């Protein structure tokens, strides 16, 4: 069978997508699939690469493919393929590409339109987590218009409801893009202006002293959960370059916490996945304090697959190799596609 890998994209996480696509492509090739790479430029052009039959040696091989512009991306519907959208951020994991693939009636890896959109949007996902009874740190949310019309009022709301340090985040962005830590009012204003470059909706969160723990979820209806991992940091906050370019983040897998705590983290991860109606895969991130208080941070419906990424590492330590993980994701995509078709075409008596 053919696996079509979509990578690149128009978001600020373009480079992460390329790194992830290289690993996913090789895993699929090692699993006996042929791979059709399709590169989406930062300008939104779709470029079709050579059909791959053998593993690539380095990321530069993926970037150096002979690429031809696709006049009509809809021609994907003419191929017997399953699509692996290795796209991060807006126009990748926010429901837009998922909707396009559903219109083409193609099986694809990962959550559907609604779950992808809800998981990507930090404000909506927080509201769903609250509805599910999951503990979260206090936050304030607003949009560009509200900030421009009454900046002082929103500063007062942030400072009146939250304590410094504050973390300011675009509502729809991942990989720490556009996120800043503010220690005072001047830095808060600067952080909001930075976040508004990437999105028109902003979340300001209470900073807490805690470890960042993550857990991986895999499945559609029957869900599996990985061991819990922890980011080992020598700084309170790591930005995009530190996470993905310089790789200054190390991981402790599995995390050394009491079993009762890890059990609760895993339980919360499954609840978060179900709260957004996820399918296929997700990485769920938590804050865990020294007193073992647990707060959900966010859910990522298309986590990274780079050599530094937590999601495949969590499964490797749980007993599932990278190649087998990619194979399972492909099979889950096919099963989910069949389930969608059955719902769309019920038996008529």
């Amino acid at each position: 069978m053919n696996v079509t890998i979509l990578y690149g994209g128009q978001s600020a996480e373009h480079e992460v997508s390329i790194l992830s696509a290289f690993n996913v492509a090789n895993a699929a090739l090692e699993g006996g699939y042929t791979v059709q790479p399709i590169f989406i430029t930062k300008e939104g052009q779709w470029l079709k690469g050579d059909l791959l039959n053998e593993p690539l040696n380095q990321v530069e091989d993926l970037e150096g493919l002979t690429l031809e512009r696709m006049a009509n991306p809809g021609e994907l519907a003419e191929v017997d393929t399953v699509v692996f959208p290795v796209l991060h951020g807006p126009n990748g994991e926010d429901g837009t590409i998922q909707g396009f693939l559903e219109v083409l009636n193609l099986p694809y890896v990962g959550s559907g339109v609604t779950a992808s959109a809800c998981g990507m949007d930090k404000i909506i996902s927080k509201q769903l987590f609250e509805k599910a009874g999951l503990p979260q740190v206090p936050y304030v949310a607003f949009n560009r218009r509200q900030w421009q019309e009454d900046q002082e009022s929103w500063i007062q709301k942030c400072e009146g409801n939250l304590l410094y340090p504050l973390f300011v985040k675009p509502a729809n962005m991942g990989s720490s893009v556009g996120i800043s830590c503010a220690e005072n009012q001047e830095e808060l204003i600067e952080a909001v202006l930075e976040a508004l470059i990437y999105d028109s909706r902003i979340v300001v969160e209470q900073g807490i002293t805690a470890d960042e723990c993550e857990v991986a979820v895999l499945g559609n209806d029957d869900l599996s959960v990985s061991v819990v991992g922890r980011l080992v940091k020598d700084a309170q906050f790591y930005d995009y370059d530190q996470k993905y370019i310089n790789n200054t983040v190390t991981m402790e897998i599995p995390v050394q916490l009491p079993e009762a705590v890890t059990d609760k983290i895993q339980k919360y991860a499954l609840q978060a996945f179900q709260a957004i109606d996820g399918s296929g895969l997700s990485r769920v991130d938590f804050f865990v304090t020294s007193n073992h208080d647990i707060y959900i941070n966010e859910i990522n419906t298309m986590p990274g697959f780079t050599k530094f990424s937590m999601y495949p590492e969590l499964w490797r330590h749980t007993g599932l190799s990278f190649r087998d993980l990619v194979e399972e994701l492909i099979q889950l995509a096919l099963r989910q596609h069949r389930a969608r078709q059955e719902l769309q075409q019920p038996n008529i008596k």
Side-chain angles (χ1 to χ4, degrees):
M1 189 176 191
N2 177 286
V3 175
T4 296
I5 294 185
L6 301 181
Y7 67 104
Q10 294 177 267
S11 84
E13 299 174 75
H14 180 93
E15 286 74 18
V16 179
S17 173
I18 297 173
L19 296 173
S20 294
F22 169 75
N23 292 317
V24 171
N26 274 352
L29 289 163
E30 291 167 4
Y33 297 93
T34 56
V35 169
Q36 176 61 70
I38 294 181
F39 176 61
I40 303 175
T41 69
K42 290 183 178 180
E43 293 72 37
Q45 294 182 350
W46 289 48
L47 306 178
K48 187 176 181 179
D50 302 326
L51 193 66
L52 303 177
N53 294 290
E54 297 180 357
L56 302 165
N57 293 318
Q58 53 190 355
V59 175
E60 287 73 19
D61 293 340
L62 186 62
E63 295 176 313
L65 294 174
T66 300
L67 299 170
E68 296 182 1
R69 183 171 180 178
M70 296 179 69
N72 176 22
E75 68 185 59
L76 274 175
E78 302 171 5
V79 183
D80 181 19
T81 188
V82 58
V83 180
F84 203 129
V86 193
L87 298 165
H88 308 304
N91 296 319
E93 58 180 306
D94 61 355
T96 50
I97 197 71
Q98 290 76 16
F100 174 70
L101 295 173
E102 289 198 15
V103 169
L104 297 182
N105 196 31
L106 286 171
Y108 60 89
V109 171
S111 289
V113 176
T114 302
S116 298
C118 292
M120 187 71 200
D121 192 296
K122 292 180 175 63
I123 298 174
I124 293 176
S125 60
K126 283 179 178 296
Q127 293 169 344
L128 291 172
F129 296 156
E130 183 178 354
K131 186 73 173 178
L134 297 171
Q136 303 179 79
V137 297
Y139 70 94
V140 172
F142 52 88
N143 59 38
R144 177 183 282 110
R145 178 184 55 78
Q146 292 172 317
W147 175 260
Q148 292 174 341
E149 289 180 352
D150 196 354
Q151 175 178 315
E152 287 300 320
S153 175
W154 287 103
I155 291 174
Q156 291 175 10
K157 286 183 181 179
C158 291
E159 294 183 333
N161 292 282
L162 312 171
L163 298 174
Y164 289 106
L166 304 179
F167 286 89
V168 183
K169 305 178 179 181
N172 283 276
M173 191 56 68
S175 299
S176 298
V177 174
I179 298 178
S180 304
C181 177
E183 298 282 356
N184 52 55
Q185 186 177 119
E186 181 180 353
E187 291 182 359
L188 172 61
I189 295 171
E190 291 176 357
V192 170
L193 295 177
E194 172 70 15
L196 285 172
I197 295 173
Y198 299 96
D199 196 9
S200 62
R201 298 163 69 246
I202 304 299
V203 175
V204 181
E205 294 179 353
Q206 171 72 64
I208 60 171
T209 302
D211 287 327
E212 291 187 37
C213 293
E214 303 181 351
V215 63
V217 180
L218 180 67
N220 293 334
D221 298 320
D222 296 325
L223 302 178
S224 300
V225 63
S226 74
V227 298
V228 179
R230 178 175 74 94
L231 299 181
V232 182
K233 306 187 299 181
D234 55 14
Q236 185 177 27
F237 171 64
Y238 282 149
D239 63 15
Y240 176 91
D241 286 345
Q242 290 169 313
K243 278 187 175 181
Y244 297 102
I245 307 302
N246 302 325
N247 188 31
T248 55
V249 181
T250 58
M251 298 174 284
E252 177 189 33
I253 308 174
V255 65
Q256 299 302 306
L257 284 172
E259 184 176 352
V261 178
T262 57
D263 286 347
K264 185 175 288 188
I265 293 172
Q266 291 170 325
K267 176 185 175 183
Y268 284 164
L270 292 174
Q271 289 177 326
F273 189 78
Q274 292 167 329
I276 68 164
D277 193 29
S279 56
L281 74 161
S282 282
R283 191 196 71 233
V284 191
D285 303 346
F286 296 89
F287 298 124
V288 182
T289 70
S290 59
N291 294 326
H292 297 155
D293 293 324
I294 303 167
Y295 302 94
I296 188 168
N297 179 21
E298 62 184 13
I299 188 168
N300 190 318
T301 56
M302 185 53 71
F305 282 85
T306 74
K307 62 181 180 180
F308 307 137
S309 294
M310 179 70 95
Y311 186 84
E313 279 297 292
L314 287 169
W315 282 116
R316 185 173 71 83
H317 283 80
T318 308
L320 189 64
S321 70
F322 195 102
R323 189 179 76 175
D324 290 342
L325 173 60
V326 170
E327 172 65 25
E328 179 63 18
L329 289 169
I330 291 170
Q331 295 304 319
L332 286 168
L334 293 170
R335 291 199 290 271
Q336 188 71 356
H337 181 63
R338 286 193 293 270
R340 288 193 186 104
Q341 288 182 312
E342 290 172 1
L343 287 174
Q344 291 170 359
Q345 299 174 351
N347 292 326
I348 300 175
K349 296 183 179 179

